[in-house]
Amino acid sequence: MKIARIEKELAWTLRHAVMWPDRPIDFVKLEDDENGLHYGLFDGQRLLSVISLFILHEHEAQFRKFATLEQEQGKGYGSMLLHFIINEAQSQGVRIIRCNARKSKADFYAKFGLQETNQVFTKEGFPYVVMEKRLNGDSKIH
């Protein structure tokens, strides 16, 4: 397994296949994708999982559009990628990292120390909660 920076277009392809396959590909593109750091987890040349990190301002970041191929879910690949991205954010001086989690996935993010906030909303019929984690500057997540 290898994790590497990828071009946004490659992230779009996997996002589309996993998250919103019934929508046009433009539906998975973000206005600020140009400003994101996009990462993929590969098994050889095969892309299994993607995530995009956005440094919002000095010490805050948000990860977005986290997707793993359906047939590869439950094998720990997404966990590897999420550990990587949290450490990557920390190494760039981020002190707080957030995500907009589908409520049905909140328990998954809680395993990584993200906590639910009181910010909740609905998008495309799915309930979401903003989750966050404070990072300390010295230690990495294992």
Side-chain angles (χ1 to χ4, degrees):
M1 295 298 146
K2 176 181 86 169
I3 295 173
R5 286 272 305 269
I6 60 173
E7 296 296 322
K8 64 185 179 302
E9 293 81 3
L10 193 54
W12 292 341
T13 302
L14 197 133
R15 283 180 194 171
H16 184 248
V18 174
M19 302 173 95
W20 301 103
D22 298 334
R23 299 284 189 129
I25 194 162
D26 286 345
F27 190 77
V28 300
K29 297 177 182 179
L30 300 171
E31 283 183 28
D32 57 350
D33 264 332
E34 199 65 41
N35 302 320
L37 303 171
H38 309 283
Y39 295 89
L41 182 137
F42 293 84
D43 181 6
Q45 297 296 312
R46 187 167 175 243
L47 181 61
L48 305 179
S49 187
V50 297
I51 195 167
S52 299
L53 178 67
F54 296 86
I55 308 297
L56 303 175
H57 43 79
E58 196 170 324
H59 297 294
E60 293 185 21
Q62 181 182 27
F63 62 88
R64 301 176 70 184
K65 301 298 184 186
F66 181 25
T68 301
L69 290 173
E70 189 171 343
Q71 67 271 25
E72 302 299 340
Q73 292 177 11
K75 298 179 180 179
Y77 302 139
S79 294
M80 289 171 56
L81 190 54
L82 188 53
H83 276 299
F84 177 89
I85 206 74
I86 291 171
N87 286 329
E88 183 67 19
Q90 194 169 355
S91 72
Q92 293 194 34
V94 170
R95 296 287 181 254
I96 188 162
I97 190 165
R98 293 185 178 92
C99 73
N100 296 339
R102 283 190 183 178
K103 282 288 279 180
S104 62
K105 301 292 184 182
D107 288 346
F108 173 78
Y109 294 113
K111 295 177 193 175
F112 297 86
L114 281 98
Q115 298 178 332
E116 292 186 35
T117 68
N118 59 3
Q119 299 174 8
V120 295
F121 60 95
T122 300
K123 179 180 175 186
E124 299 296 320
F126 292 98
Y128 285 80
V129 61
V130 176
M131 297 185 74
E132 64 182 30
K133 176 182 177 72
R134 296 198 180 281
L135 305 177
N136 115 16
D138 300 328
S139 63
K140 290 200 171 196
I141 312 295
H142 298 329

